[in-house]
Amino acid sequence: MSTCRSMYFQTNKNKVPMAADKLCVNIFEMVASIARVIDMMSPVIGNHHMQVAYLAYRLGEELQLSDDQKYELFIAGALHDIGAFSLQDRLDLLEFEDTKPGEHSMAGSLILETFPPFSGIARLIKFHHVHWKNGEGAFQNGESVPNGSHIIHLADRVAVKLSKKAPVLSQVRDICRSILEHKGDVFVPEYVDALINMANKEHIWLDIISESMEAILKRTVLYRAKELTIEEMVDFSRLICRLIDFKSKFTAAHSNGVAAVAIELSRLSGFSKHERRLIEIAAYLHDLGKLAIPSEILNKQNKLTDNEQFIMRSHVYHTYRVIEPFEMLNVAGSWGALHQERLNGTGYPFGLTSDELPLGARIMAVADVFTALTEDRPYRKGMDSKNTKTVLQTMVDAGELDNNLVDMIFKHYAKMNDIRDLAQKESIRDYNAFQTVLHRHLK
């Protein structure tokens, strides 16, 4: 049995964890994983988020900041461009003279601030492209700009100057010269001085282009595992869901629709309240890998090309790999990451069969297909009940979906569709409110 299978499938397929009041979450690992998958949009982007996180943390050391302040710099650096949903936005931000930085900063901030433990991080990201303007940049639109935002800005602009075409040590002098030209007008003088003091520390520059940079960061950053209640884990998963679904107005409600249907299916299947919470987490995380898919593909209203189809299919693999290291997410993560597997082995990315697919994964597969059929898509309106039932029955007959679960859909069709519809309408309201606030701040 392969490594990927042994992790999830050596236990009884219907076994679920006992209820726990709290889950021990390694925020460092989770944030690093999210940053990694976002940077998968293009090889050109490389590992930009983690480079910024590393530089910001080192600048914090040079400035003798507290461990908590340095840790916040790391998280903010690792997530600073999460509001840049399209590939073109990400590529534009790799230009040293960024011309349209406001929208992605505000978008990332608005999403992160919905998770209270990240409220401070949200403020750092909100202002991370504000220019210093000889002191005027201490405030923007009547709000004080955190010092950390200016540190992230400096680290970000240094990172975009790094090139793979020459040895990194040969680039340091020119990078520092470019930054010095903007000392005072763009960057805080004290922070520029800290960067110049770092210029002769060759290990920092070699670290930042090293394939082991993330491991080096892990050894360097003083971090603590954080205990989250199951409710807080649901909230954290909902945050990730917004990052995924808000990439496109066409996907803004998908995960919430899947969650609503999956929760109801799990209730009808006899799952406990705790187990239904795990299903909810699984639903919010099931498309996590779409963070690596450019919104240009997600938004496309015409048929995807073969290459675009392959890119889209890869999202479930990325979901699995992001969640794989987290023991506390093993069960919920497996349910979500396996939603494209099929009982007859024709699914992807692992081609698992019925004996290897737990009930939670089967529920997620049925909930995902039902939601995809009944919701409006960029290229078609949602199907009516007759056509939806025909497709589901065809998949059952082909041995793809669990017959008992599909039968539950048929017996409770009106209720299932209403639950899905209400959940998705609420998500659309949230998305529209998000867009309204975003555009208000950008005026």
Side-chain angles (χ1 to χ4, degrees), residues 314-383:
S314 71
H315 82 273
V316 285
Y317 173 82
H318 297 320
T319 298
Y320 173 85
R321 289 303 180 201
V322 169
I323 295 174
E324 181 183 18
F326 304 102
E327 185 176 352
M328 79 290 181
L329 290 178
N330 276 3
V331 173
S334 72
W335 293 346
L338 303 179
H339 70 277
Q340 291 291 351
E341 300 291 342
R342 297 294 179 254
L343 301 181
N344 61 2
T346 60
Y348 58 90
F350 301 118
L352 303 180
T353 58
S354 58
D355 289 341
E356 300 166 300
L357 289 170
L359 180 57
R362 298 170 184 229
I363 289 173
M364 286 300 306
V366 172
D368 185 65
V369 172
F370 176 77
T371 302
L373 293 174
T374 53
E375 69 186 355
D376 291 340
R377 288 293 179 98
Y379 46 86
R380 63 157 173 80
K381 296 289 290 183
M383 290 185 184

Side-chain angles (χ1 to χ4, degrees), residues 138-331:
F139 295 89
Q140 186 178 67
N141 298 326
E143 291 187 70
S144 62
V145 175
N147 293 333
S149 296
H150 290 292
I151 295 174
I152 298 296
H153 185 205
L154 176 58
D156 184 29
R157 296 300 91 189
V158 171
V160 302
K161 294 289 287 182
L162 295 169
S163 171
K164 297 179 181 179
K165 297 179 180 179
V168 68
L169 296 180
S170 72
Q171 302 175 50
V172 175
R173 182 181 301 174
D174 287 341
I175 289 173
C176 289
R177 185 182 298 119
S178 296
I179 297 298
L180 277 168
E181 290 175 358
H182 298 284
K183 181 178 179 180
D185 62 332
V186 176
F187 306 114
V188 177
E190 179 186 1
Y191 303 162
V192 174
D193 293 341
L195 175 70
I196 301 305
N197 290 338
M198 286 167 46
N200 294 323
K201 298 179 179 179
E202 292 188 358
H203 72 282
I204 290 179
W205 303 96
L206 293 170
D207 281 349
I208 201 172
I209 55 94
S210 169
E211 292 184 359
S212 304
M213 181 189 60
E214 189 174 317
I216 294 168
L217 250 178
K218 188 175 181 180
R219 293 194 299 269
T220 303
V221 174
L222 294 175
Y223 65 90
R224 297 175 293 276
K226 183 176 178 59
E227 282 194 336
L228 298 180
T229 65
I230 190 69
E231 298 302 325
E232 288 174 325
M233 192 62 220
V234 169
D235 288 342
F236 183 74
S237 302
R238 192 176 288 117
L239 160 68
I240 304 303
C241 175
R242 287 192 177 97
L243 288 176
I244 302 161
D245 287 358
F246 283 12
K247 283 170 65 74
S248 165
K249 65 181 180 180
F250 301 119
T251 63
H254 177 70
S255 295
N256 280 280
V258 173
V261 175
I263 290 169
E264 181 62 13
L265 277 175
S266 67
R267 187 188 69 79
L268 292 170
S269 299
F271 278 34
S272 68
K273 180 179 178 181
H274 174 75
E275 293 159 1
R276 294 199 297 273
R277 277 315 210 188
L278 293 179
I279 276 284
E280 186 174 6
I281 291 170
Y284 289 145
L285 297 181
H286 82 284
D287 275 344
L288 194 155
K290 283 185 178 176
L291 292 174
I293 310 300
S295 59
E296 288 91 341
I297 293 179
L298 296 175
N299 283 332
K300 189 172 182 180
Q301 298 190 42
N302 299 323
K303 184 179 179 180
L304 298 181
T305 65
D306 287 345
N307 282 343
E308 289 169 339
Q309 285 278 13
F310 291 136
I311 292 172
M312 182 68 82
R313 282 170 65 98
S314 71
H315 82 273
V316 285
Y317 173 82
H318 297 320
T319 298
Y320 173 85
R321 289 303 180 201
V322 169
I323 295 174
E324 181 183 18
F326 304 102
E327 185 176 352
M328 79 290 181
L329 290 178
N330 276 3
V331 173

Side-chain angles (χ1 to χ4, degrees), residues 27-43:
I27 297 294
F28 178 101
E29 294 279 10
M30 184 63 79
V31 167
S33 295
I34 294 169
R36 196 184 312 121
V37 74
I38 294 172
D39 282 343
M40 288 178 184
M41 270 196 204
S42 169

